[in-house]
């Protein structure tokens, strides 16, 4: 289990452990649902200050993400304190989806 200290709050980067701890401690799991164009790194850092446990990226197009470094750099920004983070991909081709997920 990896713990990250941010703003005096401990966070685990392992989702299974996070869910288990919430069940054991009988505490709610706080998740920030993805929002179109508002799930950028600065916004995710802001919601973490309000003790959000899990955040999502905005929906990224797998084909663009797979083909262009500029798309990866623009769409997928994160930091070590931005954990756990769930990345979302939209794809019509399973090959692009698999490539983007790697």
């Amino acid at each position: 289990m990896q713990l990250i200290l941010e703003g005096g709050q401990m966070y685990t980067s392992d989702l299974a452990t996070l869910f288990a701890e919430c069940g054991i401690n009988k505490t709610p799991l706080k998740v920030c649902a993805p929002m179109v164009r508002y799930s950028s790194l600065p916004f995710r850092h802001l919601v973490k200050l309000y003790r959000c446990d899990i955040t999502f990226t905005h929906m990224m197009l797998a084909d663009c993400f797979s083909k262009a470094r500029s798309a990866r750099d623009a769409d997928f920004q994160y930091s070590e304190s931005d954990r756990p983070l769930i990345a979302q991909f939209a794809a019509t081709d399973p090959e692009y989806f698999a490539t983007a997920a790697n």
Side-chain angles (χ1 to χ4, degrees), residues 12 29 38 46-47 54 84:
T12 179
L29 184 66
Y38 285 101
L46 178 66
V47 298
I54 301 174

Side-chain angles (χ1 to χ4, degrees), residues 36-97:
V36 176
R37 302 322 246 171
Y38 285 101
S39 295
S40 62
L41 180 60
F43 179 78
R44 294 191 311 264
H45 279 169
L46 178 66
V47 298
K48 289 283 187 172
L49 292 175
Y50 290 91
R51 303 183 192 264
C52 181
D53 295 310
I54 301 174
T55 56
F56 288 75
T57 65
H58 62 278
M59 186 69 68
M60 297 175 281
L61 301 176
D63 59 342
C64 296
F65 192 88
S66 299
K67 292 177 187 176
R69 180 171 185 82
S70 60
R72 289 189 296 276
D73 291 343
D75 282 345
F76 191 62
Q77 297 175 355
Y78 67 95
S79 68
E80 288 304 313
S81 64
D82 191 25
R83 307 288 174 127
L85 173 64
I86 298 174
Q88 299 185 95
F89 292 103
T92 56
D93 183 329
E95 293 295 322
Y96 284 131
F97 180 77

